Amino acid sequence: MSDKVLICGSVAFDTIAVFEGHFKDHILADNIQSLSVSFFVPTMRKEYGGCAGNIAYNLRLLGGNPVPVGTVGADAADYIVYMQQLGIDTSMIRVLADMFTPQCFITTDLDNNQIASFHPGAMMRSADNDLSGRAAAWGIVAPDAKDGMFAHARRMHAQGIPFIFDLGQAMPLFSGDDINEMLKLARILTANDYEASVVEQRTGRSMREIAQSMQAVVVTRGAEGATLYADGNEIHIEPVKAQYVVDPTGCGDAHRAGLLYGLTQNWSLVDACRLANVMGGFKIGSRGPQNHRPTRAEIGAALNQRYGVNLLG
């Protein structure tokens, strides 16, 4: 049986600039109707990101076999080489030469307020990236263009590949009917506590009720850990206390990777969620979504110390 995991979602760049001042001193309520402002940003960094890229990175840290499924522009050559150097299978990353790679431009001020712009670029044609015929133990449908998310979900469902539905930042695109349709295709739903409340509101069903027709629902709750709904039970997964709290960007993606690894290893759902918490704990201690670099031995030691679970066999 294949141990590959199809990671469907965005592969993107994040360009993050720091304004060494306060937006509130320059964006004045009296002048908001004719806004024209410029910020001097001497500090800037460019990060590899996107949900598929981040999940694949974290799964590879665990020794997993991720296959990111995403569409990028010709400007992503360095990102693809970077993935290949990590040992990630890039055969399902489709390059569209006439488009840019999806990218988010973020300016942050000294109060950690953000002004962001997102260019979807090649992501708008993600549905054309056909994964049919690819064998995999598990998959995940993470935030992407809406039609791409549905296309990947339907193709995996048709092939009998179980997958996680991770609504995430795509939440504004999905109506209650859309969510219900996706839940019929997926095996597991993952969401943070805010997203879970929106899903409940739009579908008219609680997380416990949704879990009755799925293998599981996993709701992350930040520093409070996570909640697993499965087999009619609601189980609290105790948190991992992070050594450093630096940047939450990408923590959800790290969590999904831990969950996926546990699923491919046929662990119990509880232990898979515990590993997911450990991965989120490592990620929050580093700035950017792919700059944490724990070894597999370090991850295993943290998992064993906190939960008594053995990663290394």
Side-chain angles (χ1 to χ4, degrees), residues 69-122:
V69 181
T71 44
V72 299
D75 55 334
D78 61 326
Y79 199 165
I80 293 172
V81 170
Y82 159 80
M83 286 187 179
Q84 292 169 344
Q85 290 173 340
L86 294 173
I88 295 173
D89 180 347
T90 60
S91 61
M92 284 302 299
I93 295 181
R94 183 177 178 187
V95 179
L96 305 178
D98 60 336
M99 304 187 82
F100 286 109
T101 298
Q103 39 203 302
C104 190
F105 302 91
I106 303 167
T107 302
T108 302
D109 73 357
L110 295 181
D111 291 327
N112 284 323
N113 295 309
Q114 289 187 342
I115 297 175
S117 301
F118 183 73
H119 174 68

Side-chain angles (χ1 to χ4, degrees), residues 228 259 262-263 265-274:
L228 169 66
L259 178 60
L263 291 169
Q265 302 302 305
N266 296 314
W267 289 8
S268 70
L269 284 165
V270 170
D271 284 348
C273 288
R274 288 168 171 167

Side-chain angles (χ1 to χ4, degrees), residues 183 187-191 196 199 206-220 226-231 233-235 259 269 273:
L183 294 177
R187 187 74 63 85
I188 293 174
L189 169 67
T190 57
V199 169
S206 68
M207 290 294 105
R208 182 184 287 272
E209 290 170 326
I210 289 172
Q212 290 175 358
S213 59
M214 306 184 76
Q215 182 175 341
V217 171
V218 179
V219 179
T220 58
T227 305
L228 169 66
Y229 300 86
D231 299 321
N233 298 313
E234 179 178 332
I235 304 167
L259 178 60
L269 284 165
C273 288

